[in-house]
């Protein structure tokens, strides 16, 4: 065992670590130097706690695109960009040349062959399938019912509870519980009941967190290191495999239950699994693919990844921004009063009613512009290319698109780009201003544009309208607010608030 651990790579890593310590600058100045052997890694590590702002600073001072050089013995080199024309080229114009790539798929191998992790024909088939299912009116109605039911039976009781006791609550935790329950319900037809006043520890929800966090870790260490950890069953790989196993058991049990339910065909819900299994039984799908339990398992993992943390992150930053901008909150309430009240109470929050809240839509857009739920997108080039910025791209180059930085570029949004200004989204005629997706990219761009974009807005509007009309959200004084370094843009310390009812 000792011989295995003391490999040349590990010895070199130790040497480089001490070399790095020698050049450490505690001032954390925003500079980047391409050191011998270690490349630009010391600067990145030095600013890791503030990595999104660091990348933004670097991109602003390098014309929006930067070639990052990692240590010589690793595969940590990548091209970082926030240039909208480069984004347009990568995501749309030259889309076929920039798949997710094998390195991304290996890092997120727990997602299997699902839509988030797949390329080419497999991705194309799943994209078409989910487009059909998500646009079905029966599913849309079911989705609305799930969200409103979870608000009524889960969210409101919790907020009433913490309000009556006058205790602090972490809204980020509340929203993560909400979205985990709602995704499980809309995909599997199963409610894990994470969202309750007891704040229970749910094994498969915790397992998902472990799997996500430790998959992300793979991106920032040499591949041979995490593979060695996996072989030895230690460190982050041990946690990843544990979470993977627990979530697998949960999902496969749900699949087994769902198949039995569809055979009975009694009072079936319109969740995605029911739709898939029913259509395969009727011979309307490629049964060789969809009849596979692995396909259903991979689908669940991918939809959990797509729908749980993105929406909860969006809601968390939305409520922090609104709570710290009282004029914005007052205007949202004014529009709710104007469009959604019926004898002093909120109307049924359906799609038609919610579409009247143009200002709220603009607030959500402005929130995800500044704090995109996914701060980075990663692609890999298949062939050589020349970006619109003039940078040469070789085959197998890792491309990293910084969505966080794009929301902070004066060249895209003007000199007031750092301001929280929902009015930038409202036209003179009171309509939403259209911004091309390669400039406003939180929902991706081109062929991979998010299929759940409309549902995300519906869910966020229902939750935002309900909470803001019924409660005051007060930020705890002195609570630190900063983004975490993770797959989704969580708040590093959560969102600790106190809740008070508006109407007593």
């Amino acid at each position: 065992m000792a011989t295995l651990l003391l490999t040349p790579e590990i010895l070199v890593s130790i040497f480089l670590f001490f070399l790095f310590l020698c050049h450490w600058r505690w001032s954390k100045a925003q500079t980047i130097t391409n050191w011998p052997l270690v490349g630009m890694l010391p600067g990145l590590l030095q600013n890791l706690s503030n990595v999104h702002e660091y990348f933004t600073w670097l991109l602003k001072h390098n014309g929006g695109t930067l070639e990052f050089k990692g240590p010589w013995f690793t595969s940590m080199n990548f091209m970082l960009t926030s240039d909208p024309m480069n984004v347009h080229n990568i995501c749309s114009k030259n889309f076929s040349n920039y798949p997710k790539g094998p390195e991304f798929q290996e890092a997120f191998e727990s997602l299997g062959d699902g839509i988030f992790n797949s390329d080419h024909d497999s991705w194309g088939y799943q994209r078409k399938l989910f487009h059909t299912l998500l646009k079905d009116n029966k599913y849309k109605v079911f989705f609305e019912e799930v969200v409103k039911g979870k608000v009524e039976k889960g969210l409101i009781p919790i907020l009433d509870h913490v309000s009556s006791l006058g205790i602090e609550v972490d809204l980020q935790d509340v929203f993560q519980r909400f979205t985990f329950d709602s995704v499980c319900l809309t995909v599997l037809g199963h409610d894990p009941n994470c969202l309750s006043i007891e704040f229970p520890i749910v094994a498969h929800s915790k397992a998902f967190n472990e799997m996500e966090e430790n998959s992300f870790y793979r991106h920032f260490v040499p591949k041979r290191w995490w593979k060695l950890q996996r072989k030895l069953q230690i460190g982050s790989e041990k946690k990843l495999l544990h979470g993977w196993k627990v979530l697998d058991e949960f999902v496969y049990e749900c699949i087994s239950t769902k198949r039995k339910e569809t055979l009975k065909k009694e009072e079936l819900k319109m969740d995605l699994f029911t739709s898939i299994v029913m259509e395969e039984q009727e011979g309307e799908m490629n049964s060789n693919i969809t009849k596979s339990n692995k396909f259903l398992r991979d689908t669940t993992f991918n939809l959990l990844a797509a729908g749980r943390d993105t929406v909860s992150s969006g809601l968390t930053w939305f409520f922090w921004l609104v709570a710290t901008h009282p004029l914005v909150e007052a205007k949202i309430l004014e529009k709710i009063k104007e469009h959604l009240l019926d004898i002093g109470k909120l109307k049924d929050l359906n799609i038609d009613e919610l579409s009247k809240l143009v200002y709220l839509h603009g607030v959500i857009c402005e929130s995800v512009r500044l704090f995109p739920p996914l701060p980075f997108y990663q692609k890999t080039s298949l062939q050589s290319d020349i970006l619109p910025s003039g940078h040469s791209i070789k085959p197998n180059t890792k491309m990293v698109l910084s969505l966080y930085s794009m929301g902070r570029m004066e060249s895209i949004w003007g000199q007031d780009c750092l301001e929280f200004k929902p009015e930038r989204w409202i036209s003179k005629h009171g309509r939403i201003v259209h911004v091309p997706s390669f400039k406003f990219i939180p929902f991706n761009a081109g062929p991979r544009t998010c299929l759940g974009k409309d549902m995300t807005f519906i869910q966020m509007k229902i939750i935002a309208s309900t909470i803001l009309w019924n409660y005051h959200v007060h930020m705890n004084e002195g609570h630190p607010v900063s983004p975490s370094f993770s797959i989704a843009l969580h708040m590093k310390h959560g969102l600790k608030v106190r809740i008070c009812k508006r109407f007593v």
Side-chain angles (χ1 to χ4, degrees):
M1 179 68 72
T3 303
L4 181 61
L5 285 173
L6 292 176
T7 61
E9 277 191 338
I10 304 304
L11 291 172
V12 170
S13 297
I14 294 171
F15 165 74
L16 294 177
F17 175 72
F18 282 108
L19 177 64
F20 164 65
L21 288 180
C22 292
H23 293 96
W24 184 274
R25 297 176 183 175
W26 293 104
S27 62
K28 293 194 174 183
Q30 290 179 311
T31 59
I32 191 160
T33 302
N34 187 11
W35 298 97
L37 299 179
V38 294
M40 300 175 179
L41 185 60
L44 175 60
L45 293 176
Q46 189 176 359
N47 290 277
L48 203 58
S49 63
N50 198 31
V51 69
H52 302 295
E53 295 297 339
Y54 178 59
F55 278 169
T56 300
W57 187 91
L58 290 174
L59 288 167
K60 283 183 177 181
H61 287 78
N62 286 275
T65 304
L66 171 73
E67 185 176 4
F68 183 90
K69 296 287 189 179
W72 67 269
F73 60 90
T74 70
S75 58
M76 294 178 69
N77 296 351
F78 59 88
M79 186 71 73
L80 179 70
T81 189
S82 62
D83 185 321
M85 299 315 297
N86 286 349
V87 170
H88 181 55
N89 180 74
I90 294 165
C91 295
S92 300
K93 187 178 178 181
N94 203 3
F95 171 75
S96 61
N97 191 49
Y98 293 97
K100 291 293 183 72
E103 187 173 328
F104 180 94
Q105 291 158 352
E106 189 173 36
F108 291 107
E109 64 176 318
S110 56
L111 296 179
D113 300 318
I115 188 170
F116 187 73
N117 210 24
S118 61
D119 286 316
H120 312 304
D121 291 343
S122 173
W123 167 80
Y125 171 77
Q126 293 183 67
R127 174 91 182 179
K128 184 177 179 181
L129 168 64
F130 292 122
H131 182 270
T132 301
L133 294 175
L134 296 177
K135 298 301 179 183
D136 184 271
N137 286 331
K138 291 181 180 178
Y139 177 74
K140 288 181 180 179
V141 171
F142 173 70
F143 175 79
E144 279 189 44
E145 290 175 350
V146 166
V147 174
K148 288 187 284 191
K150 187 54 63 174
V151 167
E152 180 183 349
K153 298 176 182 179
L155 184 60
I156 290 177
I158 282 180
L159 298 181
D160 282 348
H161 175 71
V162 298
S163 174
S164 65
L165 296 179
I167 59 176
E168 179 184 88
V169 65
D170 181 356
L171 270 189
Q172 178 167 261
D173 180 36
V174 170
F175 292 143
Q176 287 178 337
R177 290 170 179 274
F178 184 104
T179 53
F180 190 83
D181 283 355
S182 61
V183 170
C184 286
L185 274 164
T186 54
V187 176
L188 300 166
H190 170 79
D191 189 350
N193 289 310
C194 296
L195 188 68
S196 67
I197 59 175
E198 295 83 11
F199 288 91
I201 297 175
V202 179
H204 32 273
S205 178
K206 183 180 178 183
F208 183 81
N209 290 338
E210 288 181 344
M211 195 180 73
E212 181 185 69
E213 290 169 8
N214 293 290
S215 293
F216 186 65
Y217 172 79
R218 288 183 174 186
H219 283 276
F220 300 98
V221 295
K223 185 187 298 185
R224 292 186 182 181
W225 174 243
W226 67 254
K227 285 192 171 183
L228 176 63
Q229 285 187 313
R230 182 170 63 180
K231 185 175 182 179
L232 298 176
Q233 293 283 291
I234 59 173
S236 63
E237 287 299 305
K238 182 179 180 180
K239 295 176 184 177
L240 168 60
L241 294 174
H242 174 263
W244 188 343
K245 180 182 177 182
V246 172
L247 201 58
D248 259 350
E249 291 172 353
F250 164 67
V251 171
Y252 278 119
E253 183 179 346
C254 288
I255 292 171
S256 176
T257 302
K258 183 58 60 179
R259 289 198 180 279
K260 292 174 184 176
E261 288 177 355
T262 53
L263 288 174
K264 296 177 182 178
K265 298 186 179 180
E266 296 177 0
E267 297 183 9
L268 292 175
K269 299 174 183 177
M270 286 308 300
D271 55 82
L272 287 180
F273 268 24
T274 298
S275 300
I276 293 172
V277 175
M278 289 295 291
E279 290 199 34
E280 82 179 21
Q281 289 175 356
E282 295 169 6
E284 297 183 16
M285 289 187 175
N286 185 341
S287 59
N288 291 332
I289 297 176
T290 59
K291 279 187 177 179
S292 162
N293 281 349
K294 185 180 183 301
F295 172 82
L296 296 178
R297 174 263 182 214
D298 292 350
T299 294
T300 300
F301 273 46
N302 280 253
L303 293 179
L304 279 173
R308 186 245 195 181
D309 283 334
T310 53
V311 176
S312 63
S313 170
L315 285 166
T316 301
W317 290 105
F318 169 90
F319 275 96
W320 174 68
L321 286 165
V322 171
T324 52
H325 292 80
L327 293 179
V328 172
E329 180 182 30
K331 193 163 183 178
I332 293 174
L333 292 171
E334 177 188 327
K335 296 302 179 182
I336 290 175
K337 186 176 182 179
E338 180 181 345
H339 296 294
L340 294 188
L341 284 196
D342 183 13
I343 316 178
K345 294 185 179 181
L346 288 179
K347 297 178 182 178
D348 179 40
L349 299 180
N350 55 44
I351 294 176
D352 292 335
E353 296 295 342
L354 292 168
S355 66
K356 299 174 184 177
L357 299 179
V358 175
Y359 185 74
L360 177 58
H361 191 101
V363 176
I364 294 172
C365 289
E366 183 71 346
S367 175
V368 298
R369 176 185 76 85
L370 288 169
F371 297 100
L374 296 177
F376 302 111
Y377 288 155
Q378 181 182 319
K379 304 273 192 174
T380 301
S381 62
L382 287 178
Q383 300 175 353
S384 299
D385 191 18
I386 303 293
L387 296 179
S389 61
H391 291 80
S392 296
I393 303 300
K394 297 178 181 179
N396 298 315
T397 298
K398 186 191 300 182
M399 310 295 298
V400 177
L401 283 55
S402 177
L403 282 61
Y404 184 93
S405 299
M406 289 184 73
R408 287 161 168 73
M409 291 292 164
E410 291 184 10
S411 57
I412 302 175
W413 300 101
Q415 293 185 349
D416 61 354
C417 62
L418 299 181
E419 294 180 29
F420 178 58
K421 189 177 177 182
E423 289 75 17
R424 76 175 78 242
W425 294 94
I426 314 297
S427 72
K428 297 178 185 177
H429 305 292
R431 297 174 185 170
I432 290 296
V433 173
H434 171 71
V435 177
S437 57
F438 57 87
K439 291 185 177 181
F440 178 59
I441 196 176
F443 298 97
N444 215 322
R448 280 194 181 263
T449 297
C450 176
L451 287 170
K453 178 180 178 179
D454 291 341
M455 290 186 294
T456 297
F457 274 103
I458 290 169
Q459 188 169 190
M460 290 185 70
K461 286 177 183 178
I462 290 173
I463 294 169
S465 298
T466 301
I467 294 180
L468 291 175
W469 183 254
N470 291 291
Y471 307 94
H472 290 282
V473 177
H474 299 284
M475 283 292 301
N476 282 2
E477 189 174 347
H479 177 67
V481 172
S482 61
S484 63
F485 187 39
S486 55
I487 295 174
L489 196 68
H490 301 303
M491 282 191 180
K492 188 182 297 184
H493 307 287
L495 180 60
K496 304 295 179 63
V497 301
R498 293 187 183 275
I499 305 290
C500 298
K501 284 190 175 183
R502 287 193 187 274
F503 311 106
V504 180

